[in-house]
Amino acid sequence: MSANLVALAYLIASVFFILALKGLSSPLTARRGNLFGMVGMAIAVITTLTITKNWALILACIALGGTIGAVVARRVQMTAMPELVAFMHSLVGLAAVFIAIAAVNNPVSFGLPAVLPMGSKLELFLGTFIGAMTWSGSVIAFLKLSGRMSGAPITFGGQHMVNLILAVVMVVFGLWFFFSETTNWPAFATMTAIAFVLGFLIIVPIGGADMPVVISMLNSYSGWAAAGIGFSLGNPMLIIAGSLVGSSGAILSYIMCKAMNRPFLSVILGGFGSEGGTAAAVGDGTQKTYRSGSADDAAFLMGNADSVIIVPGYGLAVARAQHSVKELAEKLHEKGVNVRFAIHPVAGRMPGHMNVLLAEAEIPYEQVLEMDEINSDFSNTDVVLVLGANDVVNPAANVPGSPIYGMPILDAHKARTVMVVKRSMAAGYAGLDNDLFYMDKTMMVFGDAKKVVEEMVKAL
């Protein structure tokens, strides 16, 4: 294939990637966006195969990786999707590091001069350290999200200073590699090793409540790593695709930080300038009382209401109750009740987690509303049903001095009646008690979300 045809094919693939991002911006067009992305990637892969002599080896690797990915994707539960995404980000970062090592070892095979020019060294430096930090940081995110490591912030004295010193030393070795006349393996290897360590240290002090931001942030890092390697290899497809992923991930991280009232720079720098995450609340020892009821009681209240808002949370995902919730909404509609779903930007463990769950159950998109769209309606709503959500409906966000003060929340506490389905009175991911549970207007219904909702459907 001629150079002009290759450039044209890559351009077409890039257009499909842009359309994919546009489609993924709304649940209504998400499937179309995924289709565009797959078509764009197919064009990019086929084009790459036409300009390489090692197509047999590439196809074998694609087949192996695709088989493993298909098996894992079919087995993974929706509740495990956040850690799966973190794991995939780690592989992207590691791939960037391996490509950089191969390019430094044998630049001629990548179409580069035998003696790497300074520009290529700079690009390889950027791609390597971003990729290394993405890999190690994603591994920590995977361990925290999967419960293999505590979700609490892991801190120690002088942590930020250690991170700063390591970053400076990494840059120094990078400059040594950059200005060396020949390939300086000691400088390159030391820089890469420090980047791996720095990735670990940046993520461990971030608390579980900030993990949704970490996921989108690591997504951004993986994109920039790919773009950096794309510059080194002179591959416009890698540059464009990496830049799209990097910029969209950065924008999403900013939106998530805004939704959680978190300083953007503090989160992406591992809590630098803050305490490193959400701290657990310290109780005052006062015994609080709450009102509890049964699924039948909850069904009676909802069946006699004019309007009901359902707030899904991680508890719904754990119980895989989305199909039961759809049946509940249908029964209420049959009784003339106006039912809607309220989605907080950080509900669940990753951006869009709840949207995907509800879409899986084929709940109509027009019933699913974002926080900004529905918050003003809570005060005019008869019943709010909270399913496993905690921090996103915690009125403590309105109390000065609270660890989540200023975080925008769903105003469930403004409804006439609130019903909360939880397994226990345990605190949420941020480690905070929720005053909503102790209000006179609130009724707690304890149990597995799926079983409780099924009982509500039977009662209706």
Side-chain angles (χ1 to χ4, degrees), residues 335-351:
K335 291 181 172 290
V337 181
N338 179 23
V339 180
R340 290 159 297 164
F341 293 82
I343 307 295
H344 191 279
V346 295
R349 292 295 185 269
M350 65 181 292

Side-chain angles (χ1 to χ4, degrees), residues 213-414:
V213 181
V214 171
I215 292 176
S216 60
M217 177 191 72
L218 291 170
N219 177 50
S220 177
Y221 286 176
S222 66
W224 296 126
I229 296 300
F231 278 107
S232 300
L233 305 182
N235 188 308
M237 190 71 265
L238 264 180
I239 297 171
I240 295 171
S243 298
L244 287 172
V245 173
S247 57
S248 60
I251 293 170
L252 179 58
S253 299
Y254 174 77
I255 294 173
M256 300 285 285
C257 284
K258 186 177 179 181
M260 299 173 68
N261 195 37
R262 290 281 183 269
F264 180 64
L265 289 178
S266 173
V267 173
I268 67 173
L269 294 177
F272 190 83
S274 71
E275 295 304 316
T278 304
V282 179
D284 57 7
T286 304
Q287 185 68 33
K288 298 180 181 179
T289 59
Y290 56 87
R291 184 165 62 98
S292 63
S294 66
D296 289 352
D297 297 330
F300 176 80
L301 290 172
M302 288 189 292
N304 288 279
D306 291 325
S307 59
V308 171
I309 294 178
I310 300 175
V311 179
Y314 189 65
L316 177 141
V318 172
R320 293 197 56 80
Q322 59 268 33
H323 297 283
S324 300
V325 169
K326 179 191 178 183
E327 189 177 358
L328 173 66
E330 290 175 343
K331 293 294 182 184
L332 290 172
H333 274 298
E334 291 174 5
K335 291 181 172 290
V337 181
N338 179 23
V339 180
R340 290 159 297 164
F341 293 82
I343 307 295
H344 191 279
V346 295
R349 292 295 185 269
M350 65 181 292
H353 198 178
M354 293 299 107
N355 300 79
V356 172
L357 280 176
L358 299 183
E360 183 184 21
E362 297 184 347
I363 292 173
Y365 293 128
E366 59 269 16
Q367 295 179 18
V368 181
L369 304 174
E370 301 296 329
M371 179 180 66
D372 293 339
E373 299 176 285
I374 200 169
N375 243 2
S376 59
D377 293 348
F378 279 103
S379 57
N380 299 316
T381 299
D382 294 322
V383 178
V384 169
L385 176 63
V386 179
L387 294 169
N390 195 323
D391 303 317
V392 297
V393 292
N394 194 339
N398 301 321
V399 180
S402 167
I404 62 171
Y405 174 62
M407 170 182 167
I409 60 169
L410 292 167
D411 293 330
H413 60 284
K414 294 183 179 180

Side-chain angles (χ1 to χ4, degrees), residues 72-264:
V72 172
R74 287 183 63 84
R75 291 181 177 179
V76 70
Q77 299 292 327
M78 276 304 302
T79 49
M81 193 59 67
E83 52 260 43
L84 177 64
V85 171
F87 182 72
M88 289 191 294
H89 290 162
S90 73
L91 296 180
V92 175
L94 194 60
V97 174
F98 283 156
I99 292 172
I101 292 173
V104 172
N105 180 62
N106 189 1
V108 175
S109 64
F110 288 88
L112 299 172
V115 178
L116 286 170
M118 284 190 171
S120 296
K121 287 183 178 180
L122 176 61
E123 293 155 2
L124 288 169
F125 164 67
L126 293 173
T128 302
F129 93 78
I130 296 175
M133 291 175 60
T134 300
W135 179 81
S136 52
S138 297
V139 168
I140 295 297
F142 168 79
L143 294 174
K144 286 196 172 193
L145 289 166
S146 61
R148 293 174 173 83
M149 176 185 289
S150 171
I154 300 174
T155 59
F156 55 85
Q159 188 169 35
H160 299 317
M161 184 56 64
V162 170
N163 289 351
L164 180 60
I165 292 173
L166 284 175
V168 171
V169 173
M170 180 185 70
V171 171
V172 169
F173 277 97
L175 292 174
W176 185 18
F177 167 74
F178 178 73
F179 287 110
S180 298
E181 293 183 1
T182 58
T183 301
N184 190 333
W185 276 108
F188 183 79
T190 304
M191 172 206 71
T192 305
I194 293 175
F196 278 123
V197 174
L198 198 56
F200 283 117
L201 294 179
I202 283 179
I203 302 302
V204 292
I206 299 179
D210 293 328
M211 271 300 133
V213 181
V214 171
I215 292 176
S216 60
M217 177 191 72
L218 291 170
N219 177 50
S220 177
Y221 286 176
S222 66
W224 296 126
I229 296 300
F231 278 107
S232 300
L233 305 182
N235 188 308
M237 190 71 265
L238 264 180
I239 297 171
I240 295 171
S243 298
L244 287 172
V245 173
S247 57
S248 60
I251 293 170
L252 179 58
S253 299
Y254 174 77
I255 294 173
M256 300 285 285
C257 284
K258 186 177 179 181
M260 299 173 68
N261 195 37
R262 290 281 183 269
F264 180 64

